[in-house]
Amino acid sequence: MARFGPGTAHLHELIGYAIGRGCTTFDFTVGDEPYKRDWCDSELSLYDFRAATSRRGRLAVTASVAAARMKRFVKQTPLLSQAVYRSRIAIASLRRGRGDTAASHDEPAGNP
């Protein structure tokens, strides 16, 4: 069913628009999504580079690299990815109940 969804229809329109304007390159941006392989005949690998010039910078780089590795591990592990997704929804729901979201910034805290 995904091939008939609004995201697919939007992508077809977007690519059709780009072709109509004479574009010969389309950048799908960052992300290793399977649908991108259906459209591409080449792939460009992207890399992160972090460098430190001080002791404090090395600490920051080490923390940043560790966080990126953890995020990649979670995203590549479906069970963990779903758990994080569900917990973010639960946290957002709790915040909404307390009036902490931007949509309810005009209401006093604690009033749903």
Side-chain angles (χ1 to χ4, degrees):
M1 290 297 291
R3 70 177 192 227
F4 302 114
T8 301
H10 180 252
L11 182 59
H12 284 174
E13 288 294 318
L14 199 60
I15 290 176
Y17 175 80
I19 291 169
R21 306 248 347 201
C23 296
T24 59
T25 303
F26 191 90
D27 184 354
F28 279 104
T29 69
V30 178
D32 188 23
E33 306 297 332
Y35 75 89
K36 294 177 181 179
R37 290 185 191 90
D38 295 339
W39 289 92
C40 298
D41 56 3
S42 65
E43 187 174 325
L44 176 65
S45 296
L46 301 176
Y47 300 93
D48 289 333
F49 176 76
R50 296 173 178 96
T53 59
S54 68
R55 202 175 287 165
R56 187 171 159 190
R58 282 189 289 280
L59 288 173
V61 166
T62 301
S64 176
V65 168
R69 285 181 180 164
M70 179 61 74
K71 183 176 179 179
R72 187 177 312 117
F73 176 74
V74 168
K75 284 187 166 193
Q76 292 177 347
T77 309
L79 191 61
L80 283 176
S81 184
Q82 280 296 315
V84 168
Y85 175 75
R86 288 185 180 138
S87 66
R88 291 178 72 184
I89 290 173
I91 291 168
S93 177
L94 290 172
R95 287 183 175 163
R96 236 185 338 269
R98 292 192 324 230
D100 287 350
T101 62
S104 62
H105 71 280
D106 293 332
E107 298 175 8
N111 292 342

